[in-house]
Amino acid sequence: MQVMENLVRTTVGMSTNIVWHECSIGKLERQNLLMQKGCVIWITGFSGSGKSTLASMLNRQLHCRGHVSYVLDGDNLRHGLNKDLSFKAEDRAENICRVVAKLFADAGVICTASLISPYRRDRDACRALVPDSMFIEVFMDVPLKVCEERDPKGLYKLARAGKIKGFTGIDDPYEPPMDCEIVIQLKDGKYQTPKAMAEQVVTYLEENGYLKA
Ligand SMILES: Nc1ncnc2c1ncn2[C@@H]1O[C@H](COP(=O)(O)OS(=O)(=O)O)[C@@H](OP(=O)(O)O)[C@H]1O
Ligand SMILES: Nc1ncnc2c1ncn2[C@@H]1O[C@H](COP(=O)(O)OP(=O)(O)O)[C@@H](O)[C@H]1O
């Protein structure tokens, strides 16, 4: 690190001689304008567990209440920003840490990231990137058997037939959270509707002060 005329030049990774610029508008001002607290809602679970369904319904509910929200979906990110990444463990880790949810949350947006994110250490690394209490981890506690029966894209069938290698839950691991903010699970022995799942998350946001400045 070098200091020259009040400018601090530094090196981060491969970026040399870079200087951090402070913005004149801070997080609190953005929060007051939007009347909400930016945060990351991180939805993790098997393929077919309902991550995208919950993300979509949740964002519809937030939008209807006048909140600014955005969805980052693993499948969608892999169509662009993350298209160079495979499903091997190190690429899944890179896939997750490249997710720009932190920036959205800093901008004041309620940002939903919906990714399998199978490894605990990768999710914890993401949590560590955002300030305290801005990271809300949601676990889709849906057994593999149910996800496999749903199989809306036919991927489990292909994985069972050995046509997709390293498929989460079949021949690749999934580590459920040990302690997360929200667990979506059976209620009265039945799966909740997408509307009820989204309401559970909205209630959490309301009770924890995210839906006001
Ligand atoms: N090998 C393997 N394992 C798991 N999933 C696979 C695989 N290959 C392709 N797909 C499809 O990719 C979607 C998951 O992408 P993610 O970016 O969320 O995965 S990860 O977080 O990097 O593990 C996942 O989408 P969802 O069903 O929405 O979870 C699948 O459609
Ligand atoms: N709460 C639910 N009850 C019943 N079916 C659901 C529910 N949530 C999702 N599904 C269905 O399960 C399948 C997988 O959902 P999806 O949201 O695509 O999962 P993921 O994003 O985790 O792969 C879809 O066919 C969807 O309609």
Side-chain angles (χ1 to χ4, degrees):
M1 188 168 83
Q2 294 213 12
V3 184
M4 270 184 62
E5 294 166 17
N6 296 331
L7 286 184
V8 179
R9 286 190 289 125
T10 188
T11 295
V12 181
M14 301 297 283
S15 294
T16 51
N17 296 309
I18 53 170
V19 179
W20 184 266
H21 294 271
E22 280 304 336
C23 175
S24 64
I25 298 170
K27 198 166 83 180
L28 276 178
E29 283 175 275
R30 291 192 285 273
Q31 196 169 292
N32 287 333
L33 182 72
L34 296 173
M35 299 291 289
Q36 63 182 41
K37 293 188 183 78
C39 59
V40 177
I41 300 172
W42 191 278
I43 308 178
T44 172
F46 286 122
S47 175
S49 59
K51 300 182 299 296
S52 308
T53 304
L54 169 59
S56 171
M57 184 60 81
L58 171 62
N59 277 264
R60 172 57 58 195
Q61 291 188 5
L62 289 170
H63 183 80
C64 289
R65 286 162 162 254
H67 292 291
V68 183
S69 61
Y70 195 76
V71 179
L72 296 166
D73 183 279
D75 242 345
N76 294 357
L77 291 168
R78 283 174 176 279
H79 281 74
L81 178 68
N82 292 350
K83 66 182 175 204
D84 55 321
L85 302 174
S86 76
F87 286 90
K88 58 184 191 218
E90 58 266 41
D91 278 3
R92 289 192 200 242
E94 176 64 20
N95 182 37
I96 286 156
C97 83
R98 255 191 224 172
V99 173
V100 289
K102 176 195 167 164
L103 302 181
F104 279 85
D106 190 54
V109 176
I110 299 172
C111 182
T112 307
S114 147
L115 291 94
I116 295 178
S117 42
Y119 298 104
R120 220 170 273 139
R121 64 165 187 270
D122 296 340
R123 296 191 301 266
D124 288 347
C126 266
R127 181 187 287 274
L129 284 176
V130 298
D132 247 6
S133 84
M134 274 173 71
F135 192 89
I136 301 157
E137 193 172 348
V138 181
F139 172 41
M140 304 301 296
D141 190 4
V142 179
L144 180 65
K145 187 171 172 293
V146 174
C147 299
E148 205 171 343
E149 277 161 13
R150 288 178 178 169
D151 203 9
K153 304 174 205 159
L155 298 178
Y156 282 104
K157 203 171 277 168
L158 290 172
R160 286 284 182 204
K163 292 183 180 149
I164 301 178
K165 302 280 183 220
F167 198 82
T168 305
I170 305 299
D171 56 349
D172 226 43
Y174 178 80
E175 301 169 356
M178 296 207 282
D179 183 20
C180 64
E181 283 74 10
I182 301 174
V183 181
I184 302 286
Q185 54 191 174
L186 293 177
K187 278 242 165 78
D188 306 323
K190 287 195 209 121
Y191 282 99
Q192 302 185 59
T193 60
K195 183 169 171 279
M197 301 193 300
E199 280 166 0
Q200 186 181 337
V201 180
V202 170
T203 300
Y204 178 93
L205 295 176
E206 219 159 30
E207 288 177 354
N208 289 276
Y210 292 94
L211 302 186
K212 59 184 183 196

